[in-house]
Amino acid sequence: MPSWTDALRFAFQPVVNLTTGATAALEILARPETGDILAEAHRNPELDGRLAVLAFRAAARKETLLPLHINVFAATLADLGGIGPLPGAIREAGRMPWEVTLDIVPPYAHVPQRALLEAVTALRGQGFRISADGIGDGDVPLRLLTDLSPDLVKLDASLLGRPAAVRAMRTLCEELGALLAVEGVETERQYAAALSAGAQLAQGELFAPPARIPVADVYVPPRSPAAAPTARSGPFVREFVRPAALLPVTASALQVRTLLTGSPDVSGVLLVDQAGAPVRSVHRSRFLLSMSGRYGHALYADRPAVKLGDAPRTVGVDATAWEVLDVVAVGGRDRASDDVAVVDRLGRCVGVVRLADLLRALAETRVEEAAGLNPLTRLPGSDAITQEADRRVAGGRGFALSWLDIDHFKQVNDGAGFAAGDELIRSVGRALQEAAAGHARVGHIGGDDFLVLADETGLGPVAAVLDLPWSAGGRPVSLSLATVVCGPGSVADHRQAAAYLAPLKKAAKALPGASWVLGRAGLPGYEIRHGSGASWAQAGYAVVEP
């Protein structure tokens, strides 16, 4: 009698890294030829666990080195407290649990949340990575999502039509330390929307449809500057991680040679201990050169590969590209092309980054930043400030938004000439940048107007710029500063913050000489912190109607 497994086939769909354009992993999808085995697996946790094992073995038979994504129902984990025989199957195939991401699939209704969280904790302890699947099209409660603290959040492409929701999810992922993926991407327009929202990974028919044989190449549309995500303090390493070729530290040189010659795209092999921590790094070219030399095979084939490796270069998964360059800069020039191992919080290798990817991204970042710089001061424009304000709003964080300008600047230009006026603007920009270094962002929005975004505790150094001796063409000049403090939840976006700031700007300009007016979003009145009749001890107030 034929078994239900005889009618079961598996397909592979790439998970694409949107930064590098490379395949980051393969998701294994069950494709029954008859019946509805998936619906039955939803009702039968033991059957779902068996499907996970079969999915893994299907991938193992393809001898792919890529990390794998295996689907498992939330109810299965809550019921079984794990995934049954899957860990044993992984060990038998010579793979490691941290090369497998478990995509937890909805529905979550009627799933005991405590049991699910306990199962996920146990799986993490074994080394598995966790993905929350079907977000936006499923029923996962937001509180449960944060409690799961997944390594990856998979967002349904239908949400791309709601940019605010996607940006909010990206902010949540940053807080959780998770990557954001979009699944079901079918058009280049959806791809561009995923990029602009800051997604790091994606999968869908646009890149490659599910196939019985893992595809070697995927289609990735050309990136336009407008579609690129806004640079943050990164770019971050996790956006550039490529799959790592891993072998146990006990591997022989012959095993390494077999892997390298059978995988021409692999630039090196990492030898890891039983916990998955990198011990030695074997560079492709240097290793093969040693093996191909006279007597090389006879000398090295049966010897441990660690003898031909170097100490690994490692960075944490939360590092920035700039930190990777610092790591690469240490050591000899002959190692400049070595891959850098990326490790998680437990020191386990989760992949590698290549120097070429980082340099390309950093160059693009600089080009994008340069395009938005004011040609006079080389400071970013208002977009950089307002986008950061919106990120803080979405993340539930407070901020202080300040506007500063030069009093009676037209008279400065008319009396001292435009060259003196330009030099004054540059000097004010430099002073603001130096005062804000490390704790605020400064933007030049045109003419003699500047924006500063900071925490309220960082306003002192910015306000100190008012007391510097400013002049143009030998004539004394004063500055005006207006600040609106926006506590968490007090504004909906940067536009509302700007609306509160506008009357404060007008009030500051009405005061003679150098002045600073501070108000709080949603509250009437303002405080004169610098100006005629004001002091730090006794402040004046007036009614502000934003």
Side-chain angles (χ1 to χ4, degrees), residues 96-100 122-129 344 346 348:
M96 301 178 186
W98 45 91
E99 298 179 76
V100 176
L123 290 166
R124 275 211 174 93
Q126 297 177 50
F128 288 99
R129 298 173 64 78
D344 64 13
L346 298 178
R348 301 174 303 200

Side-chain angles (χ1 to χ4, degrees), residues 293-348:
R294 190 176 185 183
Y295 308 123
H297 189 275
L299 284 172
Y300 299 118
D302 296 325
R303 296 184 65 186
V306 293
K307 301 291 185 181
L308 296 173
D310 299 291
R313 293 173 166 179
T314 61
V315 294
V317 72
D318 294 323
T320 67
W322 297 107
E323 291 172 309
V324 178
L325 293 186
D326 290 339
V327 171
V328 172
V330 177
R333 294 183 180 180
D334 61 325
R335 298 199 63 191
S337 62
D338 286 18
D339 293 341
V340 177
V342 182
V343 297
D344 64 13
R345 296 175 183 86
L346 298 178
R348 301 174 303 200

Side-chain angles (χ1 to χ4, degrees), residues 484-543:
V484 59
V485 177
C486 302
S490 62
V491 294
D493 54 24
H494 74 272
R495 296 177 182 84
Q496 191 173 10
Y500 282 115
L501 185 58
L504 299 176
K505 168 184 172 181
K506 184 176 180 181
K509 295 295 289 182
L511 296 172
S515 60
W516 180 20
V517 165
L518 182 145
R520 297 183 182 275
L523 298 178
Y526 58 78
E527 177 184 353
I528 301 174
R529 289 202 167 184
H530 192 299
S532 177
S535 69
W536 290 97
Q538 183 174 358
Y541 293 87
V543 175

